[in-house]
Structure formats: C-alpha cells, structure tokens
Amino acid sequence: MTGRTGNGEGDSPYHRPVLVEEVVGLLVVESGGVYVDATLGGGGHAEAILRSLGPQGRVVGVDRDPEAIAHAADRLAAFRERFTAVQARFSELREALAAQGIDSVSGILFDLGVSSHQLDTPSRGFSFDRPGPLDFRMDSRSALTAADVVNTWSERDLAEVLWKYGEERRSRKIARAIVTARQRRRLETTADLADVVRSVTPAPHRAKTLARVFQAIRIVVNEELDELEKGLAAALDLLKPGGRLVVIAYHSLEDRIVKQFFKREEPHCICPPEQPVCTCGRPGRLRILTRKPVVASDEEVRQNPRARSARLRAAEKLSA
Ligand SMILES: C[S@@+](CC[C@H](N)C(=O)[O-])C[C@H]1O[C@@H](n2cnc3c(N)ncnc32)[C@H](O)[C@@H]1O
C-alpha cells in the first residue's frame, strides 16, 4: 500500500469521495469543533472536513478496516494532532471515542458501504468480476467469511439472506443451486459463486443478480445493517446540541434504516404548547435538515459513477 497526500480536493485513487461539498456544508457548524468520520476509508471526506475547520478543529477518523486506517493515517499525517485514526466498528463508537477522551462532538459522518479500494482488491474477495477468495470481510479479524456462509448455511437460510438483503427475486433458485454445487465441491472463490449464480440466471439479468447476491452476503458477513442501527444510536448520544449527523447510503436497505431512524427521533411532542417542559415522553432529539435525500449532480455522476446511487440525509441534534 502506498501513502498519498491527496490533491487538496479530497480525492484519492484509493477511493473517490462523493458529495464532498454537500457533506462539509451540512456537517460543519463550528470551526473549532471535534468531528467524527465514522467511515474513514481513503480519508477523502476527512481531509475535506479538516481543510474546512480552523486551527482548533479536529477530526477523529474511524474504520473497522486496518488497511483503511493505515492508508488514511499516512495521507493525513500532515494535519498532525488535528487528526486521529482509530480502528473500530460503528457498534464500538462510544468506547472508541471514550478511549480518546471524547464524549461529545460537533458532527458525525457515515459514508456507508465499501470503498473502491476494498472492492478493487481481489484478495478481499468483494467483487464478482475479480477472482479472489470468498472472503467479503471489511475487518479480517472477524470470524465469519463469505465461504462459511455459502458452504455451511442451510438452503432456507441462504434463500432468506438473498431475499432479505439482496431483494433478489430468484433467491430460492440460487440458494438451491449453491447447495447442489457445494455437494460436488466446496465453493472457494468469487468465481465459484459467480458461476453458480450465472448457471441459474438468464443472461440479461446476470450482472444485476450477481451484484444483489454479493451485496446480500457482504451485508451478512459484516452485519452491516445491525452495525448501522447501533452506529446511528451511538452517534445521536455523542452529538452535542446543535451538532450534525450526515449519512450517505448507497442502497435502499440502508437508506430506509436512516430515514426511519431520523423520523423516529423527530419531535412528536403532544404536550400543550403552554406547558414549559415536555412530559409526554416524545420530545424528539433530531431536526431533519433534508426532507428529501441529497443526490449527486449529473456532472458528479459523470465523473464518478459510484455517486449515482448515493443518498445523503442530514439532521441536527436538538437541545434536551
Ligand atoms: C464508502 S467507504 C468510505 C470512504 C470515505 N468517505 C473516503 O472519503 O474515502 C466506507 C468505509 O466504511 C468502513 N465501514 C463500513 N462499515 C463499517 C462499520 N460498521 N464500522 C466501521 N467502519 C465501517 C469500510 O471499511 C470503508 O472503509
């Protein structure tokens, strides 16, 4: 892995960040605040945030992937004590920040999913068009791999995963084909799995079906939706009043979780307006800043096709 200093626009061959201006505009409320980039990746968003802050402003970058931590720490080394990289999962966010002496912050960013670097590294086995081991782990210390899922889970559980996390119509047929294939020989590589999926999918649907199957298994291996729920809850506790939460999702399952979380935390107070203090138990903790998700411009999508599916939602923490 090579270290990079970035080009000053938050860009990097490791990963090209999306909606950078929108992220900074919605996230940064205090130039001397402490901000968390909970999905550090290649450090592009973190660099843009750091550049927008004053000399007192700090960013703590969190990622579960040790390769991302090493790369971003190197790239952002010039920011010295204004930047700290920490390896942790969303579900460990509170403890990870507490270990840095931080219990409240001005803003938190989640740019979900995997980085281009993770997708493009064959040995990580994330991608159906790059031969590699059936791994799919963002953090290689995690126990469960994609090979464990496809070679040991029951046909019923596999079908459920493909349906629930891939929204895949041919979930049962594909699950049956996986079980039949593994009876002949264990599925070891991304190509083994892709061949099985192709064998039961009509040619015009193959690319989209493969993407859905790989997404579904990746979500399970990394417990992505559960992690997201826990991360959002932790973020809301960590934000100080007036602090901002910005989340970029790339598929409908994630975006739905974010949207529902924001709605749940919106005020639904039914106390009489003349009552000075809320007693109904529904005061709400978030003000939604984006009624509709922010999406990338045509120009950004042209330059970075990955931006096509990005949906950004932002909210502000209300005072107690
Ligand atoms: C889309 S990339 C972020 C790219 C980054 N914004 C940039 O500018 O380069 C998502 C990153 O989030 C990390 N990630 C995903 N789920 C995570 C979780 N539950 N806990 C910690 N990191 C996670 C991945 O390892 C990946 O590096």
Side-chain angles (χ1 to χ4, degrees):
M1 192 171 46
T2 51
R4 300 195 170 84
T5 51
N7 62 6
E9 292 167 0
D11 216 349
S12 152
Y14 188 103
H15 179 88
R16 187 171 197 158
V18 307
L19 295 167
V20 175
E21 266 180 41
E22 292 83 349
V23 164
V24 172
L26 283 159
L27 186 75
V28 175
V29 281
E30 240 188 309
S31 68
V34 176
Y35 291 83
V36 175
D37 180 347
T39 47
L40 183 59
H45 281 123
E47 180 170 347
I49 298 164
L50 280 159
R51 289 189 187 282
S52 78
L53 298 176
Q56 303 302 318
R58 280 183 63 192
V59 170
V60 179
V62 178
D63 205 293
R64 68 195 290 184
D65 181 349
E67 263 187 43
I69 293 292
H71 171 88
D74 189 13
R75 173 181 177 167
L76 301 172
F79 291 94
R80 305 173 76 92
E81 65 286 346
R82 292 182 54 215
F83 174 72
T84 313
V86 176
Q87 189 189 351
R89 295 167 160 226
F90 300 161
S91 53
E92 300 164 333
L93 208 52
R94 285 189 195 84
E95 299 76 3
L97 293 179
Q100 302 295 318
I102 297 170
D103 61 4
S104 103
V105 299
S106 300
I108 305 187
L109 168 68
F110 292 88
D111 175 27
L112 301 169
V114 279
S115 66
S116 306
H117 178 79
Q118 287 168 326
L119 274 177
D120 295 346
T121 307
S123 61
R124 307 293 297 266
F126 276 111
S127 186
F128 59 82
D129 52 10
R130 287 175 203 270
L134 270 178
D135 191 313
F136 295 24
R137 287 172 300 173
M138 291 185 198
D139 167 4
S140 50
R141 295 170 315 175
S142 312
L144 188 70
T145 67
D148 297 332
V149 174
V150 299
N151 287 296
T152 65
W153 286 24
S154 71
E155 182 177 326
R156 204 171 140 191
D157 287 350
L158 285 171
E160 192 185 325
V161 161
L162 300 182
W163 174 248
K164 212 165 140 190
Y165 302 130
E167 300 180 310
E168 172 50 49
R169 275 194 309 122
R170 291 179 196 78
S171 52
R172 289 207 209 140
K173 200 167 186 178
I174 296 169
R176 195 167 318 129
I178 291 174
V179 171
T180 308
R182 79 189 188 197
Q183 280 160 358
R184 287 196 297 272
R185 135 179 120 71
R186 192 178 146 84
L187 305 181
E188 297 283 6
T189 66
T190 50
D192 291 343
L193 177 60
D195 285 346
V196 174
V197 176
R198 282 193 197 100
S199 73
V200 289
T201 311
H205 302 292
R206 279 186 193 146
K208 288 205 164 142
T209 302
L210 280 165
R212 287 194 289 263
V213 168
F214 274 62
Q215 170 188 296
I217 297 174
R218 197 195 82 200
I219 287 177
V220 168
V221 165
N222 295 291
E223 301 173 279
E224 289 180 34
L225 303 185
D226 188 46
E227 279 288 316
L228 175 57
E229 301 259 13
K230 289 182 174 150
L232 292 174
L236 187 50
D237 288 346
L238 286 161
L239 280 178
K240 51 177 165 178
R244 298 283 180 89
L245 176 57
V246 175
V247 189
I248 307 174
Y250 294 87
H251 57 77
S252 55
L253 296 168
E254 284 172 347
D255 189 47
R256 202 173 306 147
I257 290 176
V258 179
K259 187 173 160 187
Q260 286 172 356
F261 178 81
F262 279 18
K263 277 214 158 355
R264 225 174 24 245
E265 296 295 343
E266 239 189 341
H268 295 104
C269 179
I270 48 165
C271 296
E274 61 277 12
Q275 192 173 299
V277 178
C278 168
T279 50
C280 72
R282 295 194 269 175
R285 294 196 290 169
L286 282 180
R287 179 167 75 89
I288 299 177
L289 302 171
T290 49
R291 277 292 146 203
K292 285 211 162 86
V294 177
V295 296
S297 65
D298 292 345
E299 177 56 19
E300 179 169 0
V301 173
R302 205 179 52 71
Q303 289 184 19
N304 182 8
R306 184 189 150 78
R308 186 185 307 280
S309 49
R311 298 278 174 277
L312 181 155
R313 295 182 188 271
E316 182 172 290
K317 172 113 174 237
L318 295 166
S319 327

